[in-house]
Amino acid sequence: MEETKLQHVNNFKIVGKLIKADVKLGTSTKTGQGYCSTTATVQSLVNGINCEYEVDFYARQMTGAGKVSSLYTTYSKLSELEGHKVEINGSIRENRYFSSTLNQLISAQELAGRFIKAVPETTTDEAKWELGGFIAKNLVEKTNKKGEVYRYDLTLGSVNYSGSALSLFTLHVDPSRRDIINGVEGYEVGQTVRLNGCLVFKVETVTSESKNEGGFGQGVVRTYTNKQKNFFIEGGTAPITDETKFDSLTISDLISAYKARDVELSEKGKNKEVAVETTSTITKKQTSLI
């Protein structure tokens, strides 16, 4: 498969303690090929915040040359690294599926691991990412019930290795980072950029007690875990204008194919026909391409 010339950087690096490795071995019903599917849960202390990351690993048992895959062997033995500090490298992926419960398409950002290795316990925890692509939607304020801005969201369009498929990633800006907000606001939709940042998947235990209104004695105490997944932007390049730039026609074609795939997923979920939506070319006045 030939590598695209389009800007398509997509990687992350996580260092932390592997607390669980859920290993599943199976055989594909379509190909008869054996595979290993493993989910690794890693705890890291990032910027003083307790974070927890779930990273998915997948590998077929045999390579095209008919040999046992080294990745298959590594992933199938990940439970041996439980309790140890590890370094994981991989890429961010968008998982789109139709939810029959919500009766709508869902887009989830997941961490797809590629390489994992044990590292010294003294290695500093970290969780960094880097993505290249085009601005698909300008900054959008996210507010709570009190009308307070708790986050800004930016949508970046990124392609796979061959440039044939589009993923749309929602990246975040901490409202206290005015320097980052100013930098991102300088971008226009359609511009090609490369962004980098920090994965802050915060985990906190919350305890609450319900009052026995009109009753007596102690209320019921409940403890639950609250998780927040943030892909915080920490920096970005100036608009890229070299041969890796996305032109308006390429962007339009990619978005059209993306929306056609949405239609396909919806049809499978709803089992009925849906009209395909077309897209327009870029103008500088646009704030969104999707």
Side-chain angles (χ1 to χ4, degrees):
M1 183 183 294
E2 185 177 352
E3 182 177 3
T4 180
K5 292 182 179 180
L6 295 171
Q7 181 64 226
H8 67 288
V9 172
N10 182 340
N11 61 70
F12 72 81
K13 175 184 176 182
I14 293 174
V15 176
K17 181 187 235 183
L18 178 64
I19 61 171
K20 183 180 179 182
D22 184 10
V23 179
K24 295 180 181 178
L25 303 179
T27 302
S28 171
T29 56
K30 292 183 178 180
T31 65
Q33 171 80 280
Y35 67 85
C36 178
S37 176
T38 300
T39 298
T41 303
V42 178
Q43 287 183 340
S44 303
L45 184 64
V46 179
N47 298 330
I49 300 173
N50 291 317
C51 295
E52 188 172 291
Y53 307 95
E54 287 189 353
V55 183
D56 297 321
F57 295 86
Y58 180 88
R60 294 179 179 177
Q61 184 176 14
M62 308 300 291
T63 66
K67 298 181 180 180
V68 176
S69 165
S70 60
L71 292 178
Y72 174 92
T73 301
T74 298
Y75 301 163
S76 63
K77 296 180 179 180
L78 279 189
S79 57
E80 297 177 5
L81 291 178
E82 287 183 356
H84 296 278
K85 183 160 284 192
V86 296
E87 176 185 313
I88 298 175
N89 292 273
S91 59
I92 304 170
R93 70 182 177 195
E94 181 191 18
N95 180 22
R96 291 149 64 205
Y97 61 93
F98 185 85
S99 169
S100 56
T101 303
L102 299 175
N103 194 37
Q104 66 182 39
L105 281 172
I106 302 295
S107 173
Q109 289 173 192
E110 301 174 346
L111 302 178
R114 180 66 175 172
F115 302 109
I116 180 171
K117 64 179 180 180
V119 294
E121 295 300 313
T122 54
T123 307
T124 302
D125 288 1
E126 65 175 291
K128 302 289 187 181
W129 60 265
E130 185 179 18
L131 283 170
F134 63 89
I135 303 298
K137 190 174 184 180
N138 280 345
L139 276 185
V140 175
E141 287 185 352
K142 307 298 288 186
T143 57
N144 57 25
K145 294 180 180 179
K146 297 180 181 180
E148 302 166 330
V149 178
Y150 66 87
R151 197 182 70 206
Y152 290 90
D153 288 358
L154 176 77
T155 304
L156 185 78
S158 185
V159 293
N160 59 356
Y161 182 85
S162 64
S164 59
L166 173 69
S167 292
L168 293 175
F169 296 113
T170 301
L171 307 173
H172 310 124
V173 179
D174 185 333
S176 68
R177 293 293 303 274
R178 176 47 60 180
D179 57 329
I180 303 299
I181 295 173
N182 291 340
V184 174
E185 284 182 335
Y187 291 143
E188 295 178 351
V189 291
Q191 289 182 328
T192 302
V193 299
R194 190 167 61 251
L195 302 169
N196 61 276
C198 185
L199 298 167
V200 182
F201 289 17
K202 184 178 180 181
V203 178
E204 58 182 353
T205 301
V206 180
T207 301
S208 64
E209 179 180 348
S210 60
K211 296 182 180 179
N212 291 325
E213 299 292 344
F216 61 90
Q218 183 178 359
V220 178
V221 177
R222 291 185 173 86
T223 300
Y224 59 93
T225 301
N226 185 29
K227 296 184 178 181
Q228 298 177 7
K229 293 185 177 182
N230 287 306
F231 295 73
F232 282 129
I233 298 171
E234 295 288 341
T237 64
I240 296 171
T241 59
D242 61 19
E243 68 276 6
T244 66
K245 173 185 175 181
F246 288 79
D247 59 51
S248 60
L249 181 58
T250 298
I251 292 175
S252 182
D253 287 344
L254 286 168
I255 292 178
S256 292
Y258 183 94
K259 291 186 175 182
R261 176 57 177 162
D262 280 351
V263 171
E264 182 183 345
L265 291 172
S266 295
E267 287 177 339
K268 289 181 179 179
K270 296 180 179 179
N271 195 28
K272 66 180 182 181
E273 295 185 358
V274 182
V276 178
E277 183 179 355
T278 58
T279 60
S280 59
T281 55
I282 304 169
T283 67
K284 289 188 176 180
K285 293 183 179 179
Q286 284 179 276
T287 60
S288 174
L289 296 170
I290 55 177

